[in-house]
Amino acid sequence: MRKLFFLFVWILAVGTLQAADVTFKASAPEAVVMGEQFRLTFTVNAEGRDIRIPTIPDFEVLMGPSQSTSYSSTWVNGQSRSETTVSFTYILMPKKEGTFTIPAATVKVNGANYTSNTVTVKVLPADEAGKEEAGDAIASGQISNDQLFVTMDVSKRSVYEQECLLVTFKVYSLVSFQITNLKYPEFEGFLVQEIELPQQKQLTLENYRGRNYQSVVMRQVLLYPQRSGKITIGSGRYDALVRVRMQQRTGSLFDDFFDSYRDINKVLTTGPVTIDVKPLPSGKSASFSGGVGTFSMNSEISANKLKANEAITIKVTLNGNGNIRLLKNPEVKFPNDFDIYDPKVETDIKTTTAGVSGSKTIEYMAIPRYAGSFEIPPIEFSYFDIKSGSYKTLKSDAYTLEVEPGEEGSASTPVVSNFNNKESVKYLGQDVRYLKTGNFRFVETDNLFYGSLANILWYAIPALLFIVFFIIYRKQVKENANIALVRTRRANKVAAKRLKIAGKLMAENKREAFYEETLRALWGYLSDKLNIPQANLTKDNVEAELAKYGVSENLISEFMDILNTCEFARYAPSAETDAMDKLYRQTVDAIEKMENTIKK
């Protein structure tokens, strides 16, 4: 009796598991031609019966359902698994042109009803001329430009600088073909963002200019113009191979078995397209980040109360659609006596035909060194809104910090520090010794020393040395007090350190990281040299400021070319190693020339 009970439970469990794995799917062509039949198939992976489909008013049911069943069995790791597939097929004929949805059907499996997905079918107009001409091409062995061609479709011909536009390369054909060589046009003047497409290309039926073609998308890219004016996307070249069947003229019964074939090479091209890139209008605010699109911003602080020498972090998140990769970090104005660290940046973006969307998160860290009440002003982020054609500024709330005295020995009065090596900050608060206030012990000294020559020299020599060193280093002390001058003088050293890191990345063939580090070194160098915060740097004001310092147009143009190359190369699909080495040497040479030109 117990065995029968367990057998019953096992059968019930298996039945429940199989029921949970039942799938019921509907499939049909995405597009069909008016007047042609097509198959609508419903497939269930179990013994299904009593299929029911609702009324389909836009299609005529010529036949169905015809049922077919297949069985398969597999043996894996000593276990046998069998599967049953039942298909129900209908033959349909469209009644009119347009796009129609075939509603879901239901099927019964083990007493339970299951519902399929809906299917959308596009009905295209008839194209008898296309078939006739395709047949003529096979007979003559010639392929015309109307039977096989490539298009370069540009979504916009007039955009703002940094506004996204979509470029699609698509092949249309009336014959079977194979692309043997692809040479896409150069996108000079644009930042390129690739859209991932399936590796296996699938042909779809499409009505184009009144004819029905088999079409396939070969490549899609998003372009971000980096300068204003007329920018031309050049021509592309694509080599195609078409195998056509050559008909025999003997009229023999065996012609169908011994037909000959001929390979025809055809060169496909796309014509150039000119894009009108409008400059961003005037009226940019100081917090303009270079962003073009639609964005939102939110920020949060890790704590409002903390102790001296404890870290505080502010996290700023930018969300939206646009040139997220190129956004400059908003400026967070910490109090002067806070030690500030380089922000940590993370991006989470998605690239589709609608553009690049996602988020950029910037985490700022600082350490207060003394107790008190401090205020961090609102964080501003300004961008150009494409929809309204105007600049918009987003602001966060201001943050108030209450910093309490730290552990014994922590600073409770302002400590002004300038750390080049942030690793040393952990020793701050341990390098100050305090005055002893009790338990003094006096020791008598020889009174004969007082008033002697040795006593006079004891005081005179240090005083004299102090005066000498004061005169020698007075100018240096004065210059060090000028923060802007200090930044300008150390600009070359900071850039050299970053370029050294870029050189290591180049040796490791980390291409994208190399270009990002080189770009960071260039913007950091210009920020220090011109004494302009990076958040306020743009290509326009850099050119203007360099011209004020007497930098030649050739050197300015060289710097701008290097910046553009870095921005383009980070996302452009290229695997040339020599390009990184050439750019690295150009960057080092350009900075050396700049150092010789701007001397302070």
Short mmCIF file of all heavy atoms in Angstrom, two decimals, residues 372-421:
data_model
loop_
_atom_site.label_atom_id
_atom_site.label_comp_id
_atom_site.label_asym_id
_atom_site.label_seq_id
_atom_site.Cartn_x
_atom_site.Cartn_y
_atom_site.Cartn_z
N GLY A 372 33.97 72.02 13.23
CA GLY A 372 33.23 73.23 12.89
C GLY A 372 32.00 72.91 12.08
O GLY A 372 31.65 71.75 11.85
N SER A 373 31.32 73.97 11.67
CA SER A 373 30.12 73.85 10.85
C SER A 373 30.45 74.36 9.45
O SER A 373 30.95 75.48 9.30
CB SER A 373 28.96 74.65 11.45
OG SER A 373 27.81 74.54 10.64
N PHE A 374 30.17 73.55 8.43
CA PHE A 374 30.53 73.89 7.06
C PHE A 374 29.32 73.70 6.15
O PHE A 374 28.42 72.92 6.46
CB PHE A 374 31.67 73.00 6.56
CG PHE A 374 32.89 73.02 7.43
CD1 PHE A 374 33.06 72.07 8.43
CD2 PHE A 374 33.85 74.00 7.27
CE1 PHE A 374 34.17 72.07 9.23
CE2 PHE A 374 34.97 74.02 8.08
CZ PHE A 374 35.14 73.06 9.06
N GLU A 375 29.35 74.42 5.04
CA GLU A 375 28.27 74.30 4.06
C GLU A 375 28.87 74.04 2.68
O GLU A 375 29.80 74.72 2.25
CB GLU A 375 27.42 75.57 4.01
CG GLU A 375 26.26 75.45 3.01
CD GLU A 375 25.32 76.63 3.02
OE1 GLU A 375 24.66 76.82 4.07
OE2 GLU A 375 25.27 77.35 2.02
N ILE A 376 28.32 73.03 2.01
CA ILE A 376 28.69 72.72 0.63
C ILE A 376 27.58 73.28 -0.26
O ILE A 376 26.43 72.86 -0.15
CB ILE A 376 28.86 71.21 0.42
CG1 ILE A 376 29.97 70.68 1.33
CG2 ILE A 376 29.17 70.90 -1.04
CD1 ILE A 376 30.12 69.18 1.28
N PRO A 377 27.90 74.24 -1.11
CA PRO A 377 26.84 74.88 -1.93
C PRO A 377 26.21 73.91 -2.89
O PRO A 377 26.74 72.81 -3.15
CB PRO A 377 27.61 76.00 -2.65
CG PRO A 377 29.03 75.57 -2.64
CD PRO A 377 29.23 74.80 -1.38
N PRO A 378 25.06 74.25 -3.46
CA PRO A 378 24.38 73.35 -4.41
C PRO A 378 25.28 72.99 -5.59
O PRO A 378 26.07 73.80 -6.07
CB PRO A 378 23.17 74.17 -4.87
CG PRO A 378 22.93 75.15 -3.77
CD PRO A 378 24.27 75.48 -3.21
N ILE A 379 25.15 71.74 -6.03
CA ILE A 379 25.90 71.25 -7.19
C ILE A 379 25.08 71.57 -8.44
O ILE A 379 23.89 71.27 -8.51
CB ILE A 379 26.15 69.75 -7.08
CG1 ILE A 379 26.88 69.44 -5.77
CG2 ILE A 379 26.96 69.24 -8.27
CD1 ILE A 379 26.88 67.96 -5.42
N GLU A 380 25.73 72.17 -9.43
CA GLU A 380 25.04 72.57 -10.65
C GLU A 380 25.50 71.73 -11.83
O GLU A 380 26.67 71.38 -11.95
CB GLU A 380 25.28 74.05 -10.95
CG GLU A 380 24.66 74.99 -9.93
CD GLU A 380 24.75 76.44 -10.37
OE1 GLU A 380 25.28 76.68 -11.49
OE2 GLU A 380 24.31 77.33 -9.64
N PHE A 381 24.54 71.40 -12.68
CA PHE A 381 24.82 70.66 -13.92
C PHE A 381 23.98 71.29 -15.03
O PHE A 381 22.75 71.31 -14.96
CB PHE A 381 24.47 69.18 -13.76
CG PHE A 381 24.54 68.41 -15.05
CD1 PHE A 381 25.76 68.07 -15.61
CD2 PHE A 381 23.37 68.02 -15.70
CE1 PHE A 381 25.81 67.36 -16.80
CE2 PHE A 381 23.43 67.31 -16.89
CZ PHE A 381 24.65 66.97 -17.43
N SER A 382 24.66 71.82 -16.04
CA SER A 382 23.99 72.50 -17.13
C SER A 382 24.19 71.73 -18.42
O SER A 382 25.29 71.20 -18.67
CB SER A 382 24.52 73.93 -17.28
OG SER A 382 23.88 74.60 -18.35
N TYR A 383 23.15 71.65 -19.25
CA TYR A 383 23.23 70.95 -20.52
C TYR A 383 22.33 71.63 -21.54
O TYR A 383 21.48 72.48 -21.19
CB TYR A 383 22.82 69.48 -20.37
CG TYR A 383 21.36 69.26 -20.05
CD1 TYR A 383 20.44 69.02 -21.05
CD2 TYR A 383 20.89 69.34 -18.74
CE1 TYR A 383 19.09 68.83 -20.78
CE2 TYR A 383 19.55 69.16 -18.45
CZ TYR A 383 18.66 68.90 -19.46
OH TYR A 383 17.32 68.74 -19.19
N PHE A 384 22.53 71.29 -22.81
CA PHE A 384 21.69 71.83 -23.88
C PHE A 384 20.59 70.84 -24.20
O PHE A 384 20.87 69.69 -24.57
CB PHE A 384 22.54 72.12 -25.12
CG PHE A 384 21.75 72.73 -26.25
CD1 PHE A 384 21.34 74.05 -26.22
CD2 PHE A 384 21.41 71.96 -27.36
CE1 PHE A 384 20.62 74.60 -27.26
CE2 PHE A 384 20.69 72.50 -28.40
CZ PHE A 384 20.28 73.82 -28.35
N ASP A 385 19.36 71.26 -24.04
CA ASP A 385 18.20 70.41 -24.27
C ASP A 385 17.78 70.49 -25.74
O ASP A 385 17.42 71.56 -26.24
CB ASP A 385 17.04 70.85 -23.36
CG ASP A 385 15.83 69.94 -23.52
OD1 ASP A 385 16.02 68.72 -23.56
OD2 ASP A 385 14.70 70.45 -23.61
N ILE A 386 17.85 69.34 -26.42
CA ILE A 386 17.55 69.30 -27.85
C ILE A 386 16.09 69.63 -28.12
O ILE A 386 15.75 70.35 -29.06
CB ILE A 386 17.89 67.91 -28.42
CG1 ILE A 386 19.41 67.69 -28.39
CG2 ILE A 386 17.38 67.78 -29.84
CD1 ILE A 386 20.18 68.62 -29.27
N LYS A 387 15.19 69.12 -27.29
CA LYS A 387 13.76 69.29 -27.55
C LYS A 387 13.34 70.75 -27.49
O LYS A 387 12.58 71.23 -28.34
CB LYS A 387 12.95 68.46 -26.54
CG LYS A 387 13.15 66.96 -26.69
CD LYS A 387 12.31 66.20 -25.68
CE LYS A 387 12.49 64.69 -25.85
NZ LYS A 387 11.69 63.91 -24.87
N SER A 388 13.82 71.47 -26.48
CA SER A 388 13.43 72.87 -26.33
C SER A 388 14.39 73.82 -27.04
O SER A 388 14.07 74.99 -27.22
CB SER A 388 13.35 73.24 -24.85
OG SER A 388 14.63 73.12 -24.24
N GLY A 389 15.58 73.33 -27.43
CA GLY A 389 16.56 74.20 -28.08
C GLY A 389 17.13 75.25 -27.16
O GLY A 389 17.48 76.35 -27.60
N SER A 390 17.24 74.94 -25.87
CA SER A 390 17.75 75.91 -24.90
C SER A 390 18.59 75.19 -23.85
O SER A 390 18.56 73.97 -23.73
CB SER A 390 16.59 76.64 -24.23
OG SER A 390 15.76 75.71 -23.52
N TYR A 391 19.33 76.00 -23.09
CA TYR A 391 20.15 75.46 -22.00
C TYR A 391 19.30 75.28 -20.75
O TYR A 391 18.43 76.12 -20.45
CB TYR A 391 21.33 76.38 -21.69
CG TYR A 391 22.34 76.45 -22.80
CD1 TYR A 391 22.32 77.49 -23.73
CD2 TYR A 391 23.32 75.48 -22.94
CE1 TYR A 391 23.25 77.56 -24.76
CE2 TYR A 391 24.26 75.54 -23.96
CZ TYR A 391 24.21 76.58 -24.87
OH TYR A 391 25.13 76.64 -25.87
N LYS A 392 19.55 74.21 -20.03
CA LYS A 392 18.86 73.96 -18.77
C LYS A 392 19.89 73.65 -17.70
O LYS A 392 20.90 72.99 -17.96
CB LYS A 392 17.87 72.80 -18.91
CG LYS A 392 16.67 73.13 -19.80
CD LYS A 392 15.63 72.01 -19.77
CE LYS A 392 14.42 72.39 -20.62
NZ LYS A 392 13.38 71.34 -20.59
N THR A 393 19.62 74.13 -16.49
CA THR A 393 20.54 73.94 -15.38
C THR A 393 19.82 73.19 -14.26
O THR A 393 18.74 73.59 -13.84
CB THR A 393 21.07 75.28 -14.85
OG1 THR A 393 21.76 75.96 -15.90
CG2 THR A 393 22.03 75.06 -13.69
N LEU A 394 20.41 72.10 -13.81
CA LEU A 394 19.89 71.31 -12.70
C LEU A 394 20.70 71.62 -11.45
O LEU A 394 21.93 71.75 -11.52
CB LEU A 394 19.95 69.81 -13.02
CG LEU A 394 19.32 69.39 -14.36
CD1 LEU A 394 19.57 67.91 -14.59
CD2 LEU A 394 17.83 69.70 -14.37
N LYS A 395 20.04 71.73 -10.31
CA LYS A 395 20.72 72.04 -9.06
C LYS A 395 20.31 71.06 -7.97
O LYS A 395 19.16 70.65 -7.89
CB LYS A 395 20.37 73.47 -8.59
CG LYS A 395 21.02 74.58 -9.39
CD LYS A 395 20.74 75.94 -8.76
CE LYS A 395 21.42 77.05 -9.53
NZ LYS A 395 21.20 78.38 -8.90
N SER A 396 21.28 70.70 -7.15
CA SER A 396 21.00 69.88 -5.99
C SER A 396 20.78 70.78 -4.78
O SER A 396 20.92 72.01 -4.86
CB SER A 396 22.17 68.92 -5.72
OG SER A 396 23.30 69.65 -5.26
N ASP A 397 20.43 70.19 -3.66
CA ASP A 397 20.31 70.95 -2.42
C ASP A 397 21.70 71.24 -1.86
O ASP A 397 22.68 70.55 -2.15
CB ASP A 397 19.51 70.15 -1.38
CG ASP A 397 18.07 69.93 -1.84
OD1 ASP A 397 17.55 70.79 -2.57
OD2 ASP A 397 17.49 68.89 -1.47
N ALA A 398 21.79 72.29 -1.06
CA ALA A 398 23.05 72.57 -0.34
C ALA A 398 23.15 71.61 0.85
O ALA A 398 22.13 71.17 1.41
CB ALA A 398 23.07 74.01 0.13
N TYR A 399 24.37 71.26 1.21
CA TYR A 399 24.61 70.33 2.32
C TYR A 399 25.32 71.06 3.46
O TYR A 399 26.27 71.80 3.23
CB TYR A 399 25.45 69.14 1.87
CG TYR A 399 24.78 68.27 0.85
CD1 TYR A 399 25.21 68.25 -0.47
CD2 TYR A 399 23.70 67.46 1.20
CE1 TYR A 399 24.59 67.44 -1.41
CE2 TYR A 399 23.07 66.66 0.27
CZ TYR A 399 23.51 66.65 -1.04
OH TYR A 399 22.89 65.86 -1.96
N THR A 400 24.82 70.84 4.67
CA THR A 400 25.46 71.40 5.87
C THR A 400 26.13 70.27 6.64
O THR A 400 25.51 69.25 6.94
CB THR A 400 24.42 72.10 6.77
OG1 THR A 400 23.80 73.15 6.01
CG2 THR A 400 25.10 72.68 8.00
N LEU A 401 27.40 70.46 6.96
CA LEU A 401 28.18 69.46 7.66
C LEU A 401 28.52 69.95 9.06
O LEU A 401 28.98 71.09 9.25
CB LEU A 401 29.49 69.16 6.92
CG LEU A 401 29.39 68.50 5.54
CD1 LEU A 401 30.79 68.27 4.99
CD2 LEU A 401 28.66 67.18 5.65
N GLU A 402 28.29 69.09 10.03
CA GLU A 402 28.70 69.36 11.41
C GLU A 402 29.86 68.42 11.73
O GLU A 402 29.69 67.21 11.83
CB GLU A 402 27.54 69.12 12.37
CG GLU A 402 26.35 70.05 12.18
CD GLU A 402 26.69 71.50 12.48
OE1 GLU A 402 27.64 71.73 13.26
OE2 GLU A 402 26.02 72.39 11.92
N VAL A 403 31.05 69.00 11.85
CA VAL A 403 32.26 68.23 12.09
C VAL A 403 32.65 68.39 13.55
O VAL A 403 32.92 69.50 14.01
CB VAL A 403 33.41 68.68 11.17
CG1 VAL A 403 34.66 67.82 11.41
CG2 VAL A 403 32.99 68.58 9.71
N GLU A 404 32.65 67.28 14.27
CA GLU A 404 33.03 67.29 15.68
C GLU A 404 34.52 66.99 15.82
O GLU A 404 35.14 66.42 14.92
CB GLU A 404 32.22 66.22 16.44
CG GLU A 404 30.71 66.45 16.36
CD GLU A 404 29.94 65.31 17.02
OE1 GLU A 404 30.60 64.30 17.38
OE2 GLU A 404 28.71 65.44 17.16
N PRO A 405 35.11 67.41 16.95
CA PRO A 405 36.53 67.10 17.16
C PRO A 405 36.75 65.59 17.13
O PRO A 405 35.93 64.81 17.59
CB PRO A 405 36.83 67.67 18.54
CG PRO A 405 35.78 68.71 18.74
CD PRO A 405 34.55 68.21 18.04
N GLY A 406 37.89 65.20 16.56
CA GLY A 406 38.20 63.79 16.46
C GLY A 406 38.81 63.28 17.74
O GLY A 406 38.63 63.85 18.82
N GLU A 407 39.53 62.18 17.66
CA GLU A 407 40.18 61.62 18.83
C GLU A 407 41.26 62.56 19.34
O GLU A 407 41.65 63.51 18.68
CB GLU A 407 40.79 60.26 18.45
CG GLU A 407 39.75 59.24 18.00
CD GLU A 407 40.40 57.94 17.59
OE1 GLU A 407 41.65 57.87 17.65
OE2 GLU A 407 39.67 57.00 17.23
N GLU A 408 41.75 62.28 20.54
CA GLU A 408 42.76 63.13 21.17
C GLU A 408 43.96 63.25 20.24
O GLU A 408 44.50 62.27 19.75
CB GLU A 408 43.21 62.54 22.50
CG GLU A 408 44.18 63.46 23.24
CD GLU A 408 44.59 62.87 24.60
OE1 GLU A 408 44.00 61.83 24.96
OE2 GLU A 408 45.45 63.44 25.25
N GLY A 409 44.35 64.49 19.98
CA GLY A 409 45.45 64.73 19.06
C GLY A 409 44.98 65.18 17.70
O GLY A 409 45.78 65.61 16.89
N SER A 410 43.66 65.07 17.45
CA SER A 410 43.15 65.54 16.17
C SER A 410 43.13 67.05 16.16
O SER A 410 43.00 67.71 17.19
CB SER A 410 41.74 65.00 15.92
OG SER A 410 41.78 63.61 15.84
N ALA A 411 43.26 67.63 14.97
CA ALA A 411 43.30 69.08 14.86
C ALA A 411 41.94 69.67 15.20
O ALA A 411 40.92 69.19 14.76
CB ALA A 411 43.71 69.47 13.45
N SER A 412 41.94 70.74 15.99
CA SER A 412 40.70 71.45 16.31
C SER A 412 40.76 72.87 15.82
O SER A 412 39.84 73.65 16.04
CB SER A 412 40.45 71.43 17.83
OG SER A 412 41.54 72.01 18.50
N THR A 413 41.86 73.27 15.20
CA THR A 413 41.98 74.58 14.56
C THR A 413 42.33 74.34 13.11
O THR A 413 42.79 73.26 12.74
CB THR A 413 43.09 75.40 15.25
OG1 THR A 413 44.30 74.65 15.18
CG2 THR A 413 42.75 75.71 16.68
N PRO A 414 42.12 75.36 12.24
CA PRO A 414 42.33 75.14 10.82
C PRO A 414 43.73 74.63 10.51
O PRO A 414 44.73 75.12 11.03
CB PRO A 414 42.09 76.53 10.21
CG PRO A 414 41.18 77.20 11.18
CD PRO A 414 41.58 76.70 12.52
N VAL A 415 43.79 73.62 9.66
CA VAL A 415 45.06 73.06 9.20
C VAL A 415 45.08 73.20 7.69
O VAL A 415 44.26 72.60 7.00
CB VAL A 415 45.18 71.57 9.59
CG1 VAL A 415 46.48 71.00 9.06
CG2 VAL A 415 45.11 71.42 11.10
N VAL A 416 45.98 74.04 7.15
CA VAL A 416 46.08 74.22 5.72
C VAL A 416 47.15 73.28 5.21
O VAL A 416 48.29 73.33 5.65
CB VAL A 416 46.43 75.68 5.38
CG1 VAL A 416 46.55 75.85 3.88
CG2 VAL A 416 45.39 76.61 5.96
N SER A 417 46.77 72.38 4.32
CA SER A 417 47.73 71.39 3.82
C SER A 417 47.58 71.23 2.32
O SER A 417 46.52 71.44 1.76
CB SER A 417 47.54 70.05 4.51
OG SER A 417 46.27 69.91 5.03
N ASN A 418 48.68 70.88 1.70
CA ASN A 418 48.68 70.66 0.26
C ASN A 418 49.44 69.37 -0.02
O ASN A 418 50.66 69.35 -0.05
CB ASN A 418 49.34 71.84 -0.45
CG ASN A 418 49.32 71.65 -1.96
OD1 ASN A 418 48.58 70.82 -2.46
ND2 ASN A 418 50.14 72.40 -2.67
N PHE A 419 48.67 68.26 -0.15
CA PHE A 419 49.30 66.94 -0.30
C PHE A 419 49.33 66.58 -1.78
O PHE A 419 48.31 66.53 -2.44
CB PHE A 419 48.51 65.87 0.46
CG PHE A 419 48.64 66.01 1.96
CD1 PHE A 419 47.67 66.67 2.69
CD2 PHE A 419 49.74 65.50 2.59
CE1 PHE A 419 47.79 66.80 4.04
CE2 PHE A 419 49.85 65.62 3.97
CZ PHE A 419 48.89 66.27 4.69
N ASN A 420 50.55 66.33 -2.27
CA ASN A 420 50.66 65.77 -3.60
C ASN A 420 50.44 64.27 -3.55
O ASN A 420 49.86 63.68 -4.45
CB ASN A 420 52.04 66.07 -4.19
CG ASN A 420 52.18 67.54 -4.52
OD1 ASN A 420 51.21 68.18 -4.92
ND2 ASN A 420 53.37 68.09 -4.34
N ASN A 421 50.92 63.65 -2.48
CA ASN A 421 50.72 62.21 -2.30
C ASN A 421 49.67 62.01 -1.23
O ASN A 421 49.92 62.22 -0.05
CB ASN A 421 52.03 61.55 -1.89
CG ASN A 421 51.88 60.05 -1.73
OD1 ASN A 421 50.84 59.50 -2.07
ND2 ASN A 421 52.91 59.41 -1.20
#
